[in-house]
């Protein structure tokens, strides 16, 4: 009877501590590596900056005008790769195409403040 109690405590700790950590880690991995949708947006990047108190992330905003004379729409995005953020900064003032993936259900803002993660940028052809 005495031998069963320590085994029961170990199994209980595994179920109460380790299993939730594995499940949460799996959820975070899934929402960051599996995209809900992919696409591109064309417009002018209004701002891009590195933000955050503890978790610094690149956050930006693009002015998307569907047709000349129409009201502009704002597209807010997160850039996980510093090289892509630098490329966006270098295209300042020009119309660009941002390639992005949408990740729904990201648990904290440590991974980004938006659900739109920019994966690439190139100048738009006129």
């Amino acid at each position: 009877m005495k031998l069963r109690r320590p085994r029961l405590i170990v199994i209980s700790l595994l179920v109460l501590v380790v299993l939730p950590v594995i499940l949460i880690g799996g959820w975070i991995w899934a929402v960051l590596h599996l995209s809900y949708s992919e696409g591109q947006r064309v417009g002018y990047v209004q701002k891009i900056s590195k933000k955050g108190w503890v978790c610094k992330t690149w956050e930006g905003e693009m002015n998307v005008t569907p047709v000349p004379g129409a009201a502009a729409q704002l597209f807010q995005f997160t850039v996980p790769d510093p090289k892509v953020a630098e490329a966006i900064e270098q295209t300042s003032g020009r119309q660009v195409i941002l390639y992005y993936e949408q990740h729904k259900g990201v648990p904290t803002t440590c991974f980004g403040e938006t659900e739109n993660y920019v994966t690439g940028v190139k100048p738009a052809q006129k």
Side-chain angles (χ1 to χ4, degrees):
M1 198 83 157
K2 284 186 174 183
L3 292 176
R4 288 188 166 186
R5 181 164 272 182
R7 183 181 289 170
L8 182 62
I9 291 172
V10 169
I11 291 172
S12 298
L13 280 174
L14 285 174
V15 169
L16 293 174
V17 176
V18 175
L19 186 61
V21 168
I22 290 172
L23 291 174
I24 291 169
W27 173 258
I28 291 171
W29 181 89
V31 299
L32 290 176
H33 289 88
L34 304 173
S35 65
Y36 175 75
S37 71
E38 299 175 355
Q40 62 186 27
R41 296 282 176 110
V42 179
Y44 296 90
V45 175
Q46 290 187 171
K47 67 177 182 176
I48 184 165
S49 59
K50 197 168 188 178
K51 295 170 62 173
W53 292 104
V54 176
C55 304
K56 299 277 189 190
T57 59
W58 285 95
E59 305 296 328
E61 189 175 86
M62 173 186 259
N63 185 347
V64 180
T65 307
V67 285
Q73 298 174 340
L74 293 180
F75 174 67
Q76 296 181 335
F77 59 88
T78 298
V79 186
D81 185 357
K83 291 179 183 177
V84 174
E86 184 179 321
I88 292 172
E89 286 180 323
Q90 291 175 354
T91 60
S92 177
R94 295 185 298 194
Q95 190 177 32
V96 295
I97 301 170
L98 293 183
Y99 299 94
Y100 71 96
E101 296 177 349
Q102 185 180 18
H103 295 273
K104 290 188 171 273
V106 178
T108 71
T109 58
C110 266
F111 301 107
E113 293 183 5
T114 72
E115 57 185 33
N116 302 311
Y117 289 77
V118 171
T119 58
V121 61
K122 76 174 191 177
Q125 301 295 326
K126 288 193 174 189

